[in-house]
Amino acid sequence: MVRSLKNPKKAKRKNKGSKKSESSSVPSAPAKVWQPGVDQLEEGEELQFDPSTYNYLRAFSIGWPCLSFDIVHDSLGLIRSEFPHTFYGVAGTQAEQASWNYLGIFKLSNISGKKRELVPVSTADNDVDMDSESSSDEDDDDEDEKSSQPVLHLHKVAHQGCVNRIRSMIQRPHICATWADTGHVQVWDISTLLNALAESVSDTTVGGNSIHRLSPIVKFGGHKDEGYAIDWSPIVPGRLVSGDCNSSIHLWEPSAETWNVDSSPFVGHAASVEDLQWSPTEADVFASCSVDGTIAIWDTRLGKSPALSVKAHNTDVNVISWNRLASCMIASGSDDGTFSIRDLRLIKGDSLVAHFEYHKQPITSIEWSPHEASTLAVASADNQLTIWDLSLEKDEEEEAEFKTKMKEQVNVPQDLPPQLLFVHQGQKDLKELHWHTQIPGMVMSTAADGFNVLMPANIDTTLPSADA
């Protein structure tokens, strides 16, 4: 298992552009695709990213690094494909001292297409330094550039202890749940802060360094150890499960303005419960994964033991994702860097559909696309965010034609899986990723050095019509 961030430091506001090669006077050789864990950087070599492969790429920070975040569902449109974009999110910090932690409730607005610089996003309350001796033309250029920049609006809510996991409720996005390293699971109502963000515009000051003091609606201390696993039901509003490092899972049921937490836990794993996922189609069914290497399927109507259990990996199963477009498929990521796809209809037999050994370090996050049933994204401790399309197969003729066209420009590794659609690198200590459910093709990730928002150029941003 890989959970904590390495030496968390508060992010500094500085440019983080792509690295340049040492000399531009030497004729450049064909570019080479670099694979972490396979290739080594030689002395004088630095990595460069190809900006043409992104429709959008930006970095930003909310202060302290965040182990977990969630994208908040908004009312700006169910499916949005046209720039500029705006989105909302919640995140929890990993500060150096417990009392310094907070929840970050943020809005990133004015997201324009084809922005590919890995530079931090400005916040609405930060002034932009201008050269007083610049010409009026330069001032106009600066103003044009400033007006095209995305703007981060941020509110902070004090949180005792580091935030291990945070999730926003699908049906009521202003309700979010947090797992703290203090051993408590808390539910928060952040509606007032989300409303304030919705009313803000790019030229107003929002948030700043002030920290709000809100009390959680519920604070549950019945777990015997801290945990990382938590998930809201996509079918029953307010229904929640939380799992801990002591192998126990508790069910939360909504009741009026609060929650009733079953004090008798679900027990069946032999080690820490690492992740939880509710079924996208069955209200009483959820899945869990564990350090014991298994994935378990539970039915809350059938008691407190697993209905099914399968040995999924030879090492810790860190993360799982239940496909909401093809509900028979579940993906899992392991501590040995492998990830697998299983067909739940065959769970009692040979349910393995696909198994990938591309990553060289533990899988820290995995999530199916909310728009394409065969597509999923994977984050790994090797600091690669990869996107896969399981419907792709190797086409020898097409591949030969492509290599002929590209041989003078890039040296592509020969052993890349045909299902590998995109590779994003550059973050340090990569932890978690999420697709935006309302903006097709947009992915966000968190790491020790902050957040990245990206839209790969080879991911469709428009969905087929219902009549197609």
Side-chain angles (χ1 to χ4, degrees), residues 65-315:
C66 300
L67 186 65
S68 182
F69 74 98
D70 204 4
I71 295 174
V72 175
H73 190 90
D74 59 54
S75 58
L76 300 178
L78 188 60
I79 298 295
R80 314 195 290 271
S81 59
E82 298 296 327
F83 289 103
H85 289 303
T86 295
F87 75 81
Y88 296 81
V90 290
T93 62
Q94 298 275 308
E96 289 182 350
Q97 295 188 22
S99 60
W100 294 355
N101 282 289
Y102 51 83
L103 307 181
I105 298 95
F106 60 87
K107 177 177 78 169
L108 191 63
S109 60
N110 200 35
I111 299 173
S112 301
K114 300 300 181 183
K115 294 294 181 182
R116 302 160 177 151
E117 304 89 359
L118 263 177
V119 296
V121 173
S122 61
T123 53
D125 55 336
N126 277 354
D127 295 329
V128 177
D129 293 333
M130 305 292 288
D131 187 347
S132 60
E133 298 180 1
S134 298
S135 66
S136 59
D137 289 341
E138 290 175 335
D139 289 341
D140 290 342
D141 290 342
D142 288 343
E143 286 300 323
D144 290 342
E145 177 65 18
K146 182 180 177 182
S147 66
S148 68
Q149 298 295 318
V151 178
L152 175 67
H153 298 269
L154 172 67
H155 281 297
K156 302 173 182 177
V157 175
H159 186 278
Q160 185 62 34
C162 293
V163 180
N164 294 344
R165 193 69 54 89
I166 184 168
R167 292 292 181 264
S168 168
M169 191 195 300
I170 301 167
Q171 302 89 345
R172 293 192 287 162
H174 61 282
I175 301 296
C176 64
T178 60
W179 239 127
D181 65 357
T182 60
H184 297 93
V185 180
Q186 300 171 87
V187 175
W188 306 78
D189 184 345
I190 57 171
S191 56
T192 56
L193 300 180
L194 285 174
N195 291 337
L197 290 176
E199 295 170 0
S200 64
V201 293
S202 60
D203 58 353
T204 60
T205 299
V206 176
N209 291 319
S210 62
I211 297 182
H212 299 271
R213 303 286 173 178
L214 297 182
S215 296
I217 304 173
V218 179
K219 184 176 182 179
F220 177 65
H223 283 283
K224 295 181 180 179
D225 199 351
E226 67 171 309
Y228 295 80
I230 196 167
D231 195 41
W232 293 103
S233 169
I235 299 176
V236 182
R239 181 173 286 177
L240 181 75
V241 279
S242 57
D244 61 38
C245 296
N246 194 47
S247 73
S248 296
I249 301 169
H250 286 270
L251 175 65
W252 300 52
E253 293 285 7
S255 174
E257 298 300 319
T258 186
W259 276 261
N260 294 323
V261 186
D262 192 342
S263 59
S264 176
F266 293 82
V267 178
H269 285 296
S272 172
V273 176
E274 295 293 280
D275 203 4
L276 289 161
Q277 286 273 280
W278 282 100
S279 165
T281 58
E282 298 183 73
D284 301 297
V285 176
F286 67 89
S288 62
C289 66
S290 171
V291 168
D292 64 15
T294 67
I295 295 174
I297 307 297
W298 311 73
D299 189 325
T300 60
R301 299 163 297 185
L302 302 179
K304 298 300 177 67
S305 298
L308 296 167
S309 183
V310 60
K311 182 69 174 179
H313 293 271
N314 294 325
T315 57

Side-chain angles (χ1 to χ4, degrees), residues 30-31 401-412:
E401 181 181 349
F402 176 78
K403 287 180 178 178
T404 300
K405 289 181 179 179
M406 298 297 293
K407 66 181 180 181
E408 298 298 328
Q409 303 177 43
V410 63
N411 293 324
V412 181

Side-chain angles (χ1 to χ4, degrees), residues 384-441:
Q384 291 190 88
L385 187 162
T386 55
I387 298 177
W388 303 73
D389 186 343
L390 303 184
S391 68
L392 297 178
E393 296 180 355
K394 191 169 185 177
D395 187 317
E396 300 286 356
E397 183 177 341
E398 182 179 332
E399 190 171 282
E401 181 181 349
F402 176 78
K403 287 180 178 178
T404 300
K405 289 181 179 179
M406 298 297 293
K407 66 181 180 181
E408 298 298 328
Q409 303 177 43
V410 63
N411 293 324
V412 181
Q414 301 297 310
D415 57 347
L416 290 180
Q419 297 85 3
L420 181 58
L421 199 61
F422 193 84
V423 178
H424 172 70
Q425 302 179 61
Q427 291 183 274
K428 298 178 181 178
D429 205 5
L430 183 60
K431 288 302 178 187
E432 191 171 275
L433 64 83
H434 293 297
W435 296 88
H436 198 302
T437 60
Q438 296 169 271
I439 305 178

